[in-house]
């Protein structure tokens, strides 16, 4: 494993991180807490030191399971968690719909104290605004509170985790966070097939020394072999709810797999699987600090953790990807739905 630093801070993260949502939300089929604990412990054994969660994952389970699995190794690991959704006072929720946000300074402090108790620690390394809108980014009182928490040593770095879904809106929010708030980090969706946010934000981030965390590096399964032509999404699969209609599901799946057929050169005599090449593609961007693939079994953990040991993408490979993406991989241009 290799490690990178967040922005201008002294916070170090493993180049491959572990998104705790896979073992705390049931969205990926993991319902056995003991299995989740073992998977988190195995991740540390494989060199992963960055674990990202949120207070809303499993209504707190995403933090308590991390403490249960790795509490004794707190000094070895970097913890990221998120805040903003008020699940304490708004318990009624249908499916994946958003809860109300609360960005008041007093709520931020309350939410942090609750997270610290569940995590059984005295500080959070990366504290992230969970899917903020531009109005939250424009609140001076919110960012004054975050700076105060940083001075107090309760958080070491902060920034927004952008989402959900609408890339155009996230571009504006990310640009504001980087250029106006000088945040330490921004968490985005970015991958071989979905490069919009990277194109809009990476140059800004490099200029301001802002780091990026990247989720959905495998385009919701298109780039790791878990989505095949015969794959049928069930109602408990988060992708079932992301795509609006059955026709859109088929289009996303079919077009995505046609694109994947054109990037086989990334695995031919390179020593990389496609899933590993997808991670190496993102790590070729110097402002990216960590990539967080969806890890929900030991096989995926082994493959993704070993990605950093495979050959980095050559300049010719990167140029070819750029050409394919610019031409939409030869497919007719159609509106796309982001893989969240």
């Amino acid at each position: 494993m290799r490690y990178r630093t967040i922005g201008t801070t002294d916070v170090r993260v493993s180049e491959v991180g572990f998104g705790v949502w896979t073992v705390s939300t049931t969205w990926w089929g993991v319902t056995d807490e003991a299995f989740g604990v073992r998977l988190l412990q195995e991740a540390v054994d494989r060199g992963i030191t960055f674990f990202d969660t949120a207070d809303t994952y499993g209504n707190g389970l995403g933090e308590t399971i991390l403490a249960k699995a790795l509490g004794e190794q707190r000094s070895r690991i970097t913890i990221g968690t998120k805040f903003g959704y008020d699940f304490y006072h708004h318990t009624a929720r249908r499916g994946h719909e958003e809860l109300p946000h609360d960005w008041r300074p007093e709520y931020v402090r309350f939410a942090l104290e609750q997270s610290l108790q569940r995590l059984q620690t005295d500080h959070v390394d990366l504290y992230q605004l969970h899917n903020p809108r531009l109005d939250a980014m424009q609140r001076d009182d919110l960012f004054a509170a975050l700076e105060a928490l940083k001075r107090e040593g309760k958080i070491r770095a902060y920034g927004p985790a952008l989402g959900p879904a609408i890339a155009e809106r996230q571009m504006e929010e990310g640009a504001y966070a980087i250029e106006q708030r000088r945040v330490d980090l921004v968490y985005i969706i970015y991958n071989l097939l979905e490069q919009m946010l990277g194109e809009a934000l990476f140059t800004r981030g490099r200029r301001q020394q802002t780091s990026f965390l990247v989720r959905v590096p495998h385009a919701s399964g298109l780039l790791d072999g878990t989505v095949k032509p015969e794959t049928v999404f069930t109602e408990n699969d988060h992708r079932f709810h992301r795509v609006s209609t059955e026709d859109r599901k088929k289009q996303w799946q079919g077009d995505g797999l046609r694109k994947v057929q054109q990037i086989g050169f990334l695995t031919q005599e390179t020593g990389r699987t496609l899933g590993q090449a997808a991670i190496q593609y993102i790590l070729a961007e110097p402002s990216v600090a960590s990539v967080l693939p969806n890890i929900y079994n030991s096989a995926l953990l082994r493959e993704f953790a070993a990605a950093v040991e495979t050959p980095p993408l050559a300049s010719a490979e990167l140029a070819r990807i750029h050409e394919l993406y610019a031409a939409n991989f030869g497919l007719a241009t159609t509106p796309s739905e982001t893989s969240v």
Side-chain angles (χ1 to χ4, degrees), residues 69-88:
L70 302 175
E72 294 181 357
Q73 304 196 64
R74 178 65 181 99
S75 62
R76 293 183 55 194
I77 65 173
T78 300
I79 294 176
T81 194
K82 307 179 189 71
F83 71 97
Y85 286 122
D86 182 5
F87 69 100
Y88 299 98

Side-chain angles (χ1 to χ4, degrees), residues 72-223:
E72 294 181 357
Q73 304 196 64
R74 178 65 181 99
S75 62
R76 293 183 55 194
I77 65 173
T78 300
I79 294 176
T81 194
K82 307 179 189 71
F83 71 97
Y85 286 122
D86 182 5
F87 69 100
Y88 299 98
H89 304 102
H90 301 273
T91 57
R93 185 183 187 188
R94 291 179 298 177
H96 295 254
E97 72 177 0
E98 284 192 275
L99 292 169
H101 280 123
D102 190 339
W103 301 114
R104 294 172 301 144
E106 56 267 34
Y107 181 79
V108 175
R109 284 189 172 272
F110 166 78
L112 177 59
E113 290 302 326
Q114 298 301 309
S115 289
L116 292 175
Q117 288 181 33
R118 287 189 292 266
L119 289 164
Q120 298 178 28
T121 185
D122 61 357
H123 72 280
V124 167
D125 300 297
L126 307 181
Y127 204 39
Q128 301 158 80
L129 293 74
H130 203 169
N131 296 344
R133 306 305 194 262
L134 187 60
D135 62 339
M137 307 304 304
Q138 294 172 334
R139 290 190 62 143
D140 291 339
D141 60 346
L142 168 59
F143 283 86
L146 290 169
E147 283 294 321
L149 291 169
K150 203 174 183 181
R151 289 193 299 271
E152 294 167 21
K154 291 194 171 184
I155 64 175
R156 298 174 66 200
Y158 65 81
L162 301 180
I166 304 172
E168 291 79 5
R169 194 199 71 225
Q170 294 174 49
M171 292 176 193
E172 183 179 14
E173 293 155 358
Y176 191 94
I178 293 167
E179 296 175 339
Q180 303 301 318
R181 294 302 180 185
R182 305 293 178 90
V183 295
D184 302 303
L185 63 113
V186 178
Y187 198 1
I188 65 171
I189 288 174
Y190 180 73
N191 57 63
L192 277 161
L193 306 183
E194 297 166 306
Q195 301 181 24
M196 300 80 72
L197 289 178
E199 290 177 328
L201 299 177
F202 284 155
T203 300
R204 290 182 168 93
R206 289 195 296 270
R207 191 160 52 234
Q208 300 295 344
Q209 293 183 282
T210 300
S211 288
F212 292 89
L213 308 177
V214 173
R215 67 184 187 276
V216 200
H218 297 111
S220 295
L222 291 169
L223 293 169

Side-chain angles (χ1 to χ4, degrees), residues 17-28 30 33 36-37 39-41 43 48-58 60-70 77-82 119 128 187 215 292-296:
F18 194 121
V20 183
W21 57 79
T22 59
V23 296
S24 60
T25 64
T26 73
W27 298 350
W28 294 93
V30 177
E33 183 176 326
V37 167
L39 200 61
L40 291 165
Q41 292 170 338
I48 292 176
T49 59
F50 175 41
F51 295 85
D52 184 68
T53 188
D55 56 5
T56 57
Y57 295 162
L61 177 60
E63 294 173 331
T64 58
I65 194 175
L66 194 53
K68 181 180 290 188
L70 302 175
I77 65 173
T78 300
I79 294 176
T81 194
K82 307 179 189 71
L119 289 164
Q128 301 158 80
Y187 198 1
R215 67 184 187 276
L292 293 103
N294 292 316
I295 298 170
Y296 47 93

Side-chain angles (χ1 to χ4, degrees), residues 8 22 40 42 67 77 89 103 113 145 149 152 156 192 219 238 243-244 250 313 317 320-322 327:
T8 59
T22 59
L40 291 165
E42 183 183 349
I77 65 173
H89 304 102
W103 301 114
E113 290 302 326
L149 291 169
E152 294 167 21
R156 298 174 66 200
L192 277 161
H238 80 289
V243 185
S244 55
K250 291 178 181 177
L313 269 61
E317 292 174 307
R320 179 59 179 149
I321 292 168
H322 177 76

Side-chain angles (χ1 to χ4, degrees), residues 271-291:
R272 318 181 199 102
T273 66
L274 182 58
Q276 292 170 333
I279 291 172
Q280 283 285 22
Y281 171 73
I282 297 167
L283 291 173
E285 167 54 47
S287 63
V288 170
S290 186
V291 179

